[in-house]
Amino acid sequence: MEAKLKYTDEWLALAKHGNFQLAEKLYFDKLFPEIIENFQSKYSNILKDEEVLISMLGFSPEPIILTANTIKPNKHFVITTDHKEEVVNRVEEFVDNEFNLKTISDTSFNTIYNSLKEILYEVESTRITIDITGGKKSMVAAAAIFGKDYRCKITYVDFEGYIKELRKPMPGTEVLNIVYDPNINQPELFLK
């Protein structure tokens, strides 16, 4: 596990005592920038050649922000259903590059799959990563199937430490998992 970040104890005390607004402010003002920096330095070389990032957005913007700032894609698409404006605002605040927000009408398999296919036709790259961390389970399932079908890398931001009573990861323990890489997991399908 990583060393504790500078404001972790203060954030934990606020959150555990029910001062959620102050805890959130401290988190995004002081703690999260350090988390982003550490995450980037740890994982920036892993997916450095990816040109397109597609992120599934639910109610937690942090994983999308971490992955987007680490990959630094040429094109970034964020797929969501009805979204909370403050969640999208957080992504805008912390993501270095521009992104295209695609709001879909429902989370059915066909809607997700076809939305992803539209993006695929829009970009001229085969170096695509789909981050399945956010989003509803049905979105994630459809995105993962699409990613395998179209030879996209699939990532998931996980964590090594979890605070049960807050139902949140311990800040600084975030991990970038490559769930599927067609070049490693199914190299026999590699077509030039």
Side-chain angles (χ1 to χ4, degrees):
M1 221 183 274
E2 299 294 313
K4 197 181 329 183
L5 303 173
K6 198 173 189 178
Y7 295 96
T8 302
D9 289 337
E10 190 178 342
W11 172 80
L12 265 172
L14 288 169
K16 285 183 176 181
H17 288 95
N19 297 323
F20 299 117
Q21 287 180 326
L22 286 174
E24 183 175 328
K25 181 168 177 27
L26 175 70
Y27 180 86
F28 285 109
D29 288 351
K30 306 238 174 158
L31 194 52
F32 196 50
E34 189 177 356
I35 292 169
I36 294 169
E37 186 179 316
N38 290 349
F39 195 85
Q40 283 177 305
S41 68
K42 190 172 182 180
Y43 297 108
S44 62
N45 288 328
I46 292 177
L47 295 168
K48 63 183 176 197
D49 295 327
E50 294 303 282
E51 293 180 346
V52 178
L53 174 63
I54 302 170
S55 304
M56 311 311 276
L57 176 62
F59 295 103
S60 300
E62 296 92 335
I64 288 173
I65 294 165
L66 291 172
T67 305
N69 285 331
T70 300
I71 293 177
K72 297 187 184 310
N74 296 333
K75 292 189 177 185
H76 184 195
F77 298 87
V78 175
I79 297 178
T80 187
T81 54
D82 295 330
H83 56 273
K84 290 186 173 182
E85 190 150 334
E86 66 263 15
V87 175
V88 174
N89 288 344
R90 285 281 185 218
V91 176
E92 288 174 343
E93 178 183 353
F94 285 100
V95 169
D96 294 336
N97 299 336
E98 284 186 34
F99 62 90
N100 298 308
L101 184 68
K102 292 185 132 334
T103 304
I104 54 174
S105 58
D106 62 79
T107 59
S108 70
F109 179 85
N110 286 337
T111 300
I112 303 292
Y113 201 91
N114 290 333
S115 297
L116 290 167
K117 201 182 298 184
E118 286 173 15
I119 291 170
L120 194 68
Y121 294 139
E122 203 174 307
V123 299
E124 294 182 20
S125 177
T126 57
R127 296 192 317 248
I128 300 170
T129 297
I130 300 175
D131 180 12
I132 61 170
T133 312
K136 298 176 180 176
K137 287 181 176 75
S138 56
M139 293 174 73
V140 169
I145 292 168
F146 178 89
K148 185 171 183 312
D149 288 351
Y150 285 93
R151 298 188 48 76
C152 303
K153 288 182 182 162
I154 301 170
T155 61
Y156 182 84
V157 177
D158 208 346
F159 46 85
E160 294 173 336
Y162 188 69
I163 308 162
K164 210 182 251 187
E165 64 267 32
L166 297 177
R167 300 184 68 197
K168 290 191 173 288
M170 177 62 81
T173 67
E174 297 82 1
V175 178
L176 181 63
N177 286 328
I178 299 176
V179 176
Y180 175 77
D181 181 338
N183 300 316
I184 294 170
N185 302 118
Q186 290 189 298
E188 68 275 11
L189 298 179
F190 184 67
L191 304 171
K192 285 190 176 196

